[in-house]
Amino acid sequence: MAAAVRDTAEAEIKAIGMDIVYNCDEKFIGYAAVSIVSLLENNREEPDIHIHILSNGISSASMERLSAMAASYEAEDRRRSLSFLDIGDMEEMLRQRTGTEVSVGRFSYTALGRIFASELIKEVSRLLYIDSDTLVLGGLSELYGLSLSGCLAAMAIEPTIYSEVKIAAGLSEEEPYFNSGVILMDAEGLRREHMAEKAVSYIRSSSGSFSFADQDILNHVLRGRVKVMPQRFNFFSGYYYRSYESLIRLYPGFSEGGAKEDFKAAKKRPVIVHFAGDERPWIEGNFCPYRRKYRSYKALTPWRDEPDIKGRRAYMLFYHMVNLATAMAPGLRELISKAYYQMKVRKS
């Protein structure tokens, strides 16, 4: 009976199509376009895909270019809609709603838009949030139809997070900390339980300073209500150099629920690659293992001729050497990471 109910629910989800949400600003729109075109390319068989973009200052010209790109994937038997929802000045909105200054360190205030996605997009019961710094390399129907088992969201565990960040978010070191780059949301449940307002209350009651912006906030307010998402649906590009054994040494709880097999599958054939480290494929001189795939999808966008970020070749070489050292000596990487946290993250 349970299987029949689950099959029926998944069939209903597939019948109404997929609602995908990005949040983005003008600075990042070209990278978002690459993610979106990779999604459209690898989900051609899906009947309906609705892409909602929470816009923080995206220009009308960029909106037109992106809309035309998405429309080119329409066919008689498949609909591809793309809509923009202006979220305005997120920093000012947070200041007004919380009554305090909010510091997000090295991150953009735009990133906090995902906290309010279910509140802003009220007509849907399920949302799949995807970061703009990703590539979608496979079909998303399995992820979109994933049973949440009574949870409010599904997210991938980030075993390399600093323990200080966990503690600051109100978690114990034994609890999982989740990455917010890909989130399958029970949008209806989040609205019903007023999670956006709970996030505002948490910001108001805290110091207003967060090392990892929305991610820290979501880990706090969704504590105990998150289902573990398989790593292949949010595979951090830096984990390409990691071994499964090194990750469970950092966080033993990562080993639960078939994680070893899933991690190996994610390394071999990820569905969504998340460029969560500094080795990003749009920086000149990068050694990112997915840079060729990224360039092939970039060539399909209206931003194909945009140059890579220049002036960081030496840093890219250094970062790649650190990644290679990670593969050979994981302990050395942990020492470097701790020093980085003290110098950059904690002070930001």
Side-chain angles (χ1 to χ4, degrees), residues 330-348:
L332 176 61
R333 178 58 177 263
E334 304 323 315
L335 291 174
I336 295 172
S337 293
K338 286 178 182 178
Y340 177 81
Y341 175 79
Q342 295 297 328
M343 289 188 298
K344 297 287 186 181
V345 179
R346 192 174 181 182
K347 292 182 179 179
S348 62

Side-chain angles (χ1 to χ4, degrees), residues 143-297:
L143 172 58
Y144 198 82
L146 188 71
S147 170
L148 290 175
S149 307
C151 293
L152 293 173
M155 300 161 74
I157 293 175
E158 186 171 338
T160 52
I161 197 67
Y162 310 104
S163 59
E164 295 92 337
V165 174
K166 274 189 176 185
I167 293 166
L171 306 178
S172 69
E173 291 194 45
E174 291 73 34
E175 289 179 273
Y177 180 94
F178 295 96
N179 182 276
S180 63
V182 179
I183 313 171
L184 180 63
M185 303 178 182
D186 173 3
E188 191 174 346
L190 290 168
R191 287 191 295 271
R192 185 176 59 250
E193 300 202 22
H194 307 288
M195 278 298 165
E197 191 53 47
K198 288 179 181 178
V200 169
S201 297
Y202 173 58
I203 295 169
R204 188 184 295 124
S205 65
S206 70
S207 64
S209 180
F210 304 95
S211 297
F212 289 89
D214 65 283
Q215 196 164 271
D216 294 345
I217 298 165
L218 287 169
N219 271 276
H220 180 86
V221 299
L222 293 175
R223 184 182 185 185
R225 307 295 301 277
V226 180
K227 180 171 181 172
V228 176
M229 177 186 290
Q231 281 281 315
R232 65 185 180 278
F233 296 124
N234 184 6
F235 184 66
F236 318 139
S237 55
Y239 285 8
Y240 182 87
Y241 304 96
R242 296 268 186 177
S243 68
Y244 169 77
E245 289 73 21
S246 71
L247 293 176
I248 61 171
R249 279 198 296 272
L250 290 170
Y251 175 59
F254 185 63
S255 63
E256 298 175 6
K260 184 173 185 178
E261 293 73 20
D262 177 61
F263 184 74
K264 288 182 177 180
K267 254 190 167 184
K268 187 175 181 180
R269 189 168 295 176
V271 177
I272 300 177
V273 172
H274 184 189
F275 303 114
D278 286 359
E279 195 174 55
R280 295 182 158 193
W282 52 82
I283 301 175
E284 189 177 71
N286 77 85
F287 293 86
C288 177
Y290 303 99
R291 63 190 181 280
R292 291 184 180 86
K293 286 185 180 293
Y294 183 85
R295 289 169 187 160
S296 70
Y297 288 111

Side-chain angles (χ1 to χ4, degrees), residues 6 9 20 28 35 37 42 63 68 74 78 80 97 121 128 147 153 157 252 257 273 276-277 282 299 305 307 346:
R6 183 172 62 250
I20 313 292
F28 233 72
S35 178
V37 83
N42 291 299
M63 289 183 188
E74 287 230 1
R78 62 177 188 264
R80 301 293 180 260
R97 288 187 67 168
I121 308 170
L128 176 59
S147 170
I157 293 175
V273 172
W282 52 82
D305 296 323
R346 192 174 181 182

